[in-house]
Structures are given as structure tokens and as C-alpha cells.
Amino acid sequence: MPGLTQDVENVEDIDYSDIEAKYQVDYDASFDNTLIVDGVPVIDNSKLERLLTKICKEFSRKGVPVKPDDIFMPWDESTGKSKGYLFMDFRNANDANNALLAMNHHPFDAKHTFKLNRFDDVEKYANMDETYIEPELEEYTPREHLRAWLTDPQGRDQYVVYRGEDVEIFWHGKPSQCELAYKPDWKDFLYVSWSPLGTYIATLHRQGVRLWGGPSWKPQQRFAHPLVKLIDFSPCENYIVTWSNDPIIVPEGKPQGPQYFSPEDEGNNLAVWDIKSGHLLRTFSTNAGTENLAAKRQMQWPALKWSPDDKFVARVTPGQMISVHELPSMFLHEKKSLKIEGVVDFEWCPLGDKDRDEVEKVASVGAKGAKKAPENMIAYWTPEVANQPARVTLLSFPGRTILRQKNLFNVSECKLHWQNQGDFLCVKVDRHTKTKKSIFCNLEIFRVCEKDFPVEVVELKDAVTDFSWEPKGERFAIVSTNDPNLGNPGPGITIKTDISFYQLDRVKNDFKLLKTLPNRTSNAIRWSPRGRFVVLATVGSSTKSELEFWDLDFTLEDRRDGQLVKEDWGSSIQSLGLADHYGVTDVEWDPSGRYLATSASAWTHTLENGYAIWDFRGQELLKQIQDRFKQFLWRPRPHTLLSKEQQKQIRKNLKEFSRVFEEEDQRESENVNTELLALRRRLVDEWNAWRARSKKDLSEDKGHDHAKEKQTEEDKEEIEVWVEEIVEQIEEEVED
């Protein structure tokens, strides 16, 4: 078969290299999608399924889902137990990297912590060249200080204004020191919000939340929570809570990792994030995203309440329990909630200056030999159920010890008001008569710093619509009314109110009425952050917009230095001024307590929107009427770094410091006067020069006109014009 043999030889000579190159399959021999997980509990084969299920759950909760089939666990044949580590395969290297970032050093339980490594790294480090190579030194680039605004030489504060689509941040101080600090180019956001200590400013966008800060206002962090509507910072700015009325949805193919939602978060709408890392810690459901509008309005905000030291965050399940979670793990404290039948609401006790100093001392000394830091405290109340009275309870935490309880009767509603130093707790109790046709109010005031937590009762005959403690003080103010229109005011009707001031009498150990201001329309109380000064405002009314500025220590200068020096405490309360800001919707003091800002937001109405700034006496310093004005917010300041001894020393030498400041003010005034005199002198010189030029021009014009007039008289010809004018015409008939 010579012909067939020749054909076979020709076929073998055909070049298939181009086809092989086109359809060549590249096999990935690397293990970049495989991780080694160490720190796994050593178990026998009977517990394998439960362990794998829990491990998969932990990984999925951190946004890196994995299945039991993707896990291989080596076994020790001699003992029949696992070796304490496992291999885990992911879909690709990107998922493996996300798992490494999210789960490395993750506490699996009290005795085991995961430690993750790439499988390829084992071979890489086993064959690593151990020859030392001097590393190249990178040029140091200093980071911006996020609190650089506090170093302003003039000690000015800042505020932000949101108008239309524009945001502007201003410096505020003396009139000559007020200026624009920064005008950012932020677009498509809902509103802005400062963090509690002023370190960050947050903007809410459709995609999530952005934090900005530093002298250049660069972006500092982002949190991917689509359609976010509300945010809340923790007191120490370590964490942030975001909420949306739309439930979380994780579409297929969306990025996964510690900074993103995972499939396990679907259906929830409340998220807790770590600010520094940007990692998602946990999500919850508030049941507001799927309910009707009425349910949304009933949702309390903030839905999560922080302990003042950022160690715990708690949420209430109405009628059942308070769940307290530890930070940063977000695990349920002691794996159980506080079961409280009928619980309605609760509040953490604020951290006072004394407690804050103690916590800082404990942190500086360390664990060995350190004095125990004071425990946190929770106050909560339960309503009347069957034959059980309503009850207010003070509870230490994490000790969970009941410190004090007080039974209450005929209770309709309770509101908990802590003084900002945590020295007093006022429970505003709305009571009803036996017929339940009328409401009156009692104030149950717990003196928290004293032994056995004594309770003082202030009985009132009217309903109380607003209550406010004086910061760092022992006084409070209330707005009360017996107006029949309360609760159902018609259009154009303003509720008549009374304003009352009370103070603790240390001799009689009760709260004494200082003064009552009757027949007012004020419905909001705003204390200065430094105490003493207070503003009474009529907010949200279409007919009244009054502002009353009061000084509670006008003739009582030594109140805080020792015993009261006057028996007639009410005489020290004096009015400083009256003002009016039409349509006012917001009233806020600046951190120094020297200036007050009032604003009328377009979110409430569209008449004369804008803002005004006043001094503590009620003198208007600045007023801006702006269309589409939305927000005015002072930038908060952090707590002082000065010790109490240093503050006392400053007060002692205040006259010397005042002299320095007065000299600076004098120099500034002289500079202003010098500039003003120079301006006036320049204007006078310009006027005199213009007058001299005008006189010269006028004299030249007069000489030229005189010569021209003389020439005209010689050449002129006299012309007379006769004009006939009929003044009156009379027609008469003559008889023949």
C-alpha cells in the first residue's frame, strides 16, 4: 500500500502549532486562593460537623462566606483527633485576601484565636533567602492632625452652613476675626453632621457616609450603607451607627470583605462600624424598614445607646429586655440580655469630670496595682402592669447590681433626664388622675453621688413640656402649662407657658423654687455650656418667635466657690435682653458659651430662611437671610486637657491673663482706629483734590464764556418778533 503510506507521512508533516496555541488551556498551579487557618480547636470526628458549621458561620458574618465542602482538616491517625489547623479554599485570590484581612487574629472563642496565612507563603518563607538586604528608607510624610483647628492662635470656634447645594465652614470670633475657613466641593448629600468631639464632619450620600477632617478637609473614612438616612457617633468617636429605612440587599457580584455587607446582613437596616478601620462590626433590624409610616415615626433614635466610655452599646426590646453588647467584638455581654418585663426605655449615666479623670488615671497606671475604674450605670423604667406599680431602677454595669428602685403610681409616661456630670437623675413622671381625664407632673430627682441615692420629689399641678439641667450645676428649668389647647393646638394658636427655675438647697436637702416667669410663649430651654446663662425660645411657631436672655447669677458671683451668700436666690435672676428671630426652628450655643446661633431652616418652612448669631446678652452680631438655607451647626470641642489644678491656677491668675488679652484688644482697636483714620484722611484728601480741580475747571470755563459772550454782543443783530394771541373772544347779537 505505497499510496496510503505516503498520505500518512504527509499528515504527520502538518503543523498544528497555531491551533494548539489558540486552544491551549493554562492550568493554574498556584495556591493563592487557599489559606491555612491555625488556632482551630482540637476535636474528634464526632464534633467535626458542628465545628465546621460554626466556622462557616463566623466567616460569613465577617463578609467572607465559605462552605464546609471547601474546608479540609488534617487528622492525627495515632490519636484520632484533629491537628488544630485546617485548609480553606476560596473561589479566587481576592476572596482569600478578604478572608485574611477579616479573620486573622479573630477570637473564635475564649480559648482559641484564628491565625491565617496564605498557603503559598509557607513555601515562600521555607525557601526564603536569609541574606540580609538593607531596606531603602522611605521619606517620612507627616499625617495631618485631625484636631489642628484647636491650635488657632486666636482661639476661634468654627461653624458649618448648609445652603442649597453648597456647604461653607467659617471661623467665628471677634468681628474682625470672622472669615471663611473652607468651602468644600461636596455634592449630592442629604445633610451634614459633626462628630461629638468635633474631629470629623460627616456627609450622607446615596452610597453611604463619608467622614472628612484635618486642615485640608481630606476624606478620612467611608461606610458603604446605601440609602442611609440617620447616623449616630459614639461619645469617644470610636464607632458610628448608620440607619436606613430600606433593608440591606447584597446583589450578586458585589464586593465582599470586612468593609461591606455580607449575605447574612440582608434584611437588617441598622449597622455598627469601627471608625478607624472602617470595618463593619454588626447589623441589626429595627423593624422600621418593612412597617408602615406610623411604625417608622415611632422608632426611637438613637436606636442604640452608648455607654460614655465606648465600652458597651445597648438596645431595648420594648416590654422584654435590654441587650448590652461589648465593643469592639459586639458580642452579647455574658451571652445574655437583661430580662426586664415591661421595660420601656433606659439611659446610660454620663461620665462626669471626676470619673473621667479617674478613668484616665487607671489607663495611665495600667492593670497592675491600678485603682478600679468606676462602673457604668443604667437607669430604666417599667410601667404599671396588673397589680405591679411603675418602677424606676438604677443598675450598675457590668456588675448588674441593682443600686436603687423607686415605685411610682398612676403613671402615664416617664422621661429620664441625666445631669451632664451624672450627679443627678430627674425622672419626669406624667401622672393621671383616677378618672384619667387630666394630666399633671411630678419630678422624682435621684441624688446619685450620695449614699443610698436619696430621692427628692417636686410636685407640680401642670403638665411639663420641657425639662433641662444646668450643665455642671445643681439647677434646672422647666416649661409648664395648663393651657387647654395643649396637645391639640389649632392653626395660629400659641400655647401659653410658665418658666420655672429650681435649685438644690443643701441645708434642707430639697429643691427650692427660685423664680417663675408667667404668661410666656417659650417652649424651649437652652442653657449655656458653661451654665449661668440661659435662653428661653419660642420654636416652631408661625406667630411667635421670641428669644429671652437670662442671667441666673447676675448679683450672685460666689455661688460656685462655697456656700450661698444670699437667702433670696430669686433676686439674682435678671433679664439681659429680648430679641426676635422670625420663624426660628433651631437654637444652639457655641462651645464657649459666649455666642448663640438661631436659624430658620427650609426643611421646616420657606419664609425668611437664614441664621443669626447673638452674644450672651442678646445683642445681634450677624444676620444672614438666605434662600434654601438648611443647616447651621457649631463645631464641638473635645474635653479640656488641663487638670483641675491647672484650671484653678488659671482662675487664680485670671487678672494677669486678662491684662494680656486686654492689651491685645487695645492694639487691635488701635490698629482698627489707625486704619479708619487713614481711610478718612485719604477720603478727605481725595475730596480736597477734586474740589481744587473743580474750582480750576470752573474758573477756566468762566473766562472762556466771558470772552465768547463779548464777541457775540458785537456780532449780534436785534430781531423783534410780534406774536398775536387771542385772549378771549365774545360774540354779541345786536337787535335791529
Side-chain angles (χ1 to χ4, degrees), residues 156-410:
R156 296 174 295 179
D157 282 301
Q158 289 185 342
Y159 63 86
V160 62
V161 173
Y162 179 24
R163 172 195 178 190
E165 302 299 327
D166 299 326
V167 171
E168 293 178 324
I169 300 172
F170 291 90
W171 287 107
H172 180 74
K174 300 173 186 175
S176 61
Q177 299 172 348
C178 298
E179 59 182 345
L180 180 67
Y182 183 65
K183 185 174 182 179
D185 188 22
W186 302 334
K187 300 296 182 184
D188 301 327
F189 57 93
L190 191 61
Y191 62 89
V192 298
S193 177
W194 294 106
S195 59
L197 306 180
T199 307
Y200 308 100
I201 187 171
T203 53
L204 281 72
H205 304 262
R206 184 176 179 84
Q207 298 83 0
V209 179
R210 294 296 299 266
L211 299 186
W212 315 79
S216 61
W217 300 95
K218 293 180 179 178
Q220 303 296 327
Q221 196 55 269
R222 63 186 297 270
F223 309 100
H225 190 164
L227 304 176
V228 61
K229 295 294 188 297
L230 296 173
I231 63 172
D232 180 51
F233 287 89
S234 66
C236 301
E237 298 184 341
N238 293 317
Y239 310 99
I240 187 174
V241 180
T242 59
W243 176 86
S244 172
N245 55 348
D246 295 296
I248 296 169
I249 299 175
V250 183
E252 190 70 26
K254 278 288 184 179
Q256 296 291 305
Q259 296 181 331
Y260 300 96
F261 293 128
S262 67
E264 281 202 354
D265 299 316
E266 288 192 336
N268 296 336
N269 59 344
L270 187 76
V272 183
W273 311 78
D274 186 289
I275 288 181
K276 293 180 181 177
S277 66
H279 290 181
L280 174 67
L281 301 181
R282 187 164 179 175
T283 59
F284 299 92
S285 174
T286 61
N287 296 323
T290 56
E291 299 292 335
N292 55 24
L293 184 61
K296 293 179 184 179
R297 289 175 178 170
Q298 293 175 0
M299 186 197 74
Q300 293 184 354
W301 187 258
L304 299 179
K305 297 182 180 180
W306 299 91
S307 66
D309 54 7
D310 274 16
K311 291 183 178 179
F312 305 101
V313 65
R315 64 194 298 252
V316 63
T317 303
Q320 301 179 28
M321 59 188 174
I322 298 174
S323 302
V324 184
H325 300 267
E326 300 174 345
L327 273 304
S329 65
M330 285 301 293
F331 292 154
L332 193 64
H333 182 260
E334 294 186 357
K335 298 183 178 180
K336 60 182 179 180
S337 300
L338 296 167
K339 302 289 185 180
I340 306 169
E341 184 179 359
V343 62
V344 177
D345 195 13
F346 75 98
E347 294 289 345
W348 291 93
C349 176
L351 196 65
D353 292 340
K354 295 180 182 178
D355 295 334
R356 184 175 290 105
D357 293 341
E358 196 64 39
V359 170
E360 291 175 355
K361 287 181 182 179
V362 171
S364 62
V365 172
K368 294 183 179 180
K371 185 179 178 181
K372 188 177 180 181
E375 280 195 323
N376 286 297
M377 191 186 308
I378 293 177
Y380 64 86
W381 77 278
T382 56
E384 295 177 277
V385 179
N387 294 327
Q388 295 291 331
R391 183 172 296 161
V392 177
T393 303
L394 297 182
L395 180 80
S396 67
F397 200 87
R400 303 191 181 212
T401 303
I402 293 179
L403 304 175
R404 183 73 158 86
Q405 285 186 327
K406 178 70 184 294
N407 293 337
L408 306 171
F409 301 92
N410 300 328

Side-chain angles (χ1 to χ4, degrees), residues 3-180:
L4 181 60
T5 303
Q6 185 177 4
D7 292 340
V8 171
E9 291 177 355
N10 294 335
V11 170
E12 291 178 353
D13 293 339
I14 298 176
D15 185 9
Y16 294 100
S17 60
D18 56 339
I19 299 176
E20 291 175 353
K22 182 177 180 180
Y23 294 101
Q24 182 180 2
V25 178
D26 295 328
Y27 293 98
D28 187 3
S30 67
F31 293 92
D32 56 359
N33 65 326
T34 303
L35 297 180
I36 302 175
V37 183
D38 203 355
V40 179
V42 177
I43 59 168
D44 55 28
N45 196 36
S46 62
K47 299 180 180 178
L48 176 61
E49 185 177 351
R50 290 174 55 193
L51 178 62
L52 293 183
T53 301
K54 186 175 181 181
I55 290 175
C56 293
K57 185 177 181 180
E58 288 291 314
F59 272 76
S60 297
R61 193 167 66 85
K62 287 292 187 176
V64 280
V66 66
K67 299 178 181 178
D69 295 339
D70 299 328
I71 301 175
F72 173 74
M73 183 176 291
W75 295 89
D76 189 343
E77 296 181 358
S78 61
T79 61
K81 294 186 177 181
S82 62
K83 294 186 176 182
Y85 64 92
L86 54 82
F87 300 91
M88 191 174 291
D89 291 331
F90 294 89
R91 291 179 300 177
N92 50 53
N94 188 37
D95 288 355
N97 291 333
N98 290 335
L100 183 65
L101 292 172
M103 300 301 294
N104 193 27
H105 299 294
H106 174 74
F108 181 66
D109 56 28
K111 297 181 180 180
H112 299 87
T113 300
F114 287 155
K115 295 182 179 179
L116 279 66
N117 291 283
R118 296 181 180 87
F119 187 85
D120 287 343
D121 289 346
V122 176
E123 183 177 0
K124 183 177 98 173
Y125 293 125
N127 302 324
M128 185 177 65
D129 184 6
E130 297 186 4
T131 304
Y132 175 74
I133 300 175
E134 185 75 24
E136 295 182 3
L137 294 177
E138 297 182 2
E139 185 179 353
Y140 172 70
T141 304
R143 295 184 60 185
E144 292 185 343
H145 202 296
L146 296 180
R147 294 184 176 176
W149 95 95
L150 296 174
T151 62
D152 177 56
Q154 298 166 336
R156 296 174 295 179
D157 282 301
Q158 289 185 342
Y159 63 86
V160 62
V161 173
Y162 179 24
R163 172 195 178 190
E165 302 299 327
D166 299 326
V167 171
E168 293 178 324
I169 300 172
F170 291 90
W171 287 107
H172 180 74
K174 300 173 186 175
S176 61
Q177 299 172 348
C178 298
E179 59 182 345
L180 180 67

Side-chain angles (χ1 to χ4, degrees), residues 384-639:
E384 295 177 277
V385 179
N387 294 327
Q388 295 291 331
R391 183 172 296 161
V392 177
T393 303
L394 297 182
L395 180 80
S396 67
F397 200 87
R400 303 191 181 212
T401 303
I402 293 179
L403 304 175
R404 183 73 158 86
Q405 285 186 327
K406 178 70 184 294
N407 293 337
L408 306 171
F409 301 92
N410 300 328
V411 175
S412 298
E413 182 69 24
C414 285
K415 292 293 183 183
L416 307 174
H417 300 274
W418 282 100
Q419 185 238 22
N420 71 331
Q421 295 294 301
D423 296 335
F424 303 97
L425 168 67
C426 176
V427 183
K428 185 176 77 69
V429 185
D430 292 333
R431 299 177 183 269
H432 54 258
T433 58
K434 292 183 178 181
T435 59
K436 297 185 179 181
K437 291 184 178 180
S438 60
I439 298 292
F440 61 98
C441 182
N442 278 9
L443 304 178
E444 308 277 344
I445 302 176
F446 293 74
R447 291 153 62 183
V448 179
C449 293
E450 300 182 26
K451 186 179 179 180
D452 299 329
F453 302 91
V455 181
E456 311 300 334
V457 181
V458 178
E459 297 184 355
L460 304 168
K461 297 181 180 180
D462 300 331
V464 174
T465 59
D466 193 22
F467 177 98
S468 183
W469 284 104
E470 177 187 20
K472 301 182 180 181
E474 299 177 343
R475 296 182 289 206
F476 63 84
I478 61 172
V479 178
S480 60
T481 181
N482 58 5
D483 195 316
N485 294 312
L486 180 66
N488 190 25
I493 296 178
T494 302
I495 303 298
K496 290 292 183 180
T497 60
D498 296 337
I499 312 297
S500 302
F501 299 98
Y502 289 81
Q503 178 166 342
L504 177 63
D505 186 346
R506 288 288 182 179
V507 178
K508 298 181 179 179
N509 287 328
D510 63 358
F511 282 85
K512 180 178 179 179
L513 177 64
L514 299 179
K515 191 169 188 175
T516 297
L517 308 175
N519 298 323
R520 296 300 200 273
T521 59
S522 305
N523 54 16
I525 302 168
R526 298 292 185 267
W527 286 95
S528 164
R530 305 293 181 182
R532 177 173 175 174
F533 301 103
V534 66
V535 168
L536 310 176
T538 305
V539 177
S541 173
S542 59
T543 57
K544 297 287 185 178
S545 51
E546 297 173 351
L547 302 170
E548 297 186 41
F549 294 78
W550 289 84
D551 181 1
L552 270 65
D553 289 341
F554 189 78
T555 59
L556 196 60
E557 297 295 337
D558 301 326
R559 182 179 65 86
R560 288 181 175 81
D561 297 332
Q563 296 294 324
L564 299 177
V565 296
K566 284 193 176 183
E567 294 183 0
D568 187 9
W569 297 339
S571 63
S572 65
I573 302 177
Q574 295 291 334
S575 174
L576 298 179
L578 297 174
D580 189 277
H581 186 167
Y582 178 74
V584 61
T585 58
D586 299 279
V587 180
E588 183 183 7
W589 285 91
D590 82 316
S592 71
R594 292 177 294 174
Y595 303 102
L596 179 88
T598 58
S599 58
S601 174
W603 287 331
T604 305
H605 61 79
T606 57
L607 300 175
E608 294 190 22
N609 301 127
Y611 66 93
I613 298 179
W614 320 75
D615 67 7
F616 66 94
R617 298 168 299 176
Q619 300 295 317
E620 185 180 284
L621 305 177
L622 173 69
K623 188 167 186 179
Q624 295 286 338
I625 302 298
Q626 299 177 342
D627 292 335
R628 299 190 300 159
F629 168 84
K630 299 174 183 177
Q631 264 186 301
F632 179 103
L633 295 174
W634 291 106
R635 187 172 193 174
R637 281 180 172 260
H639 305 291

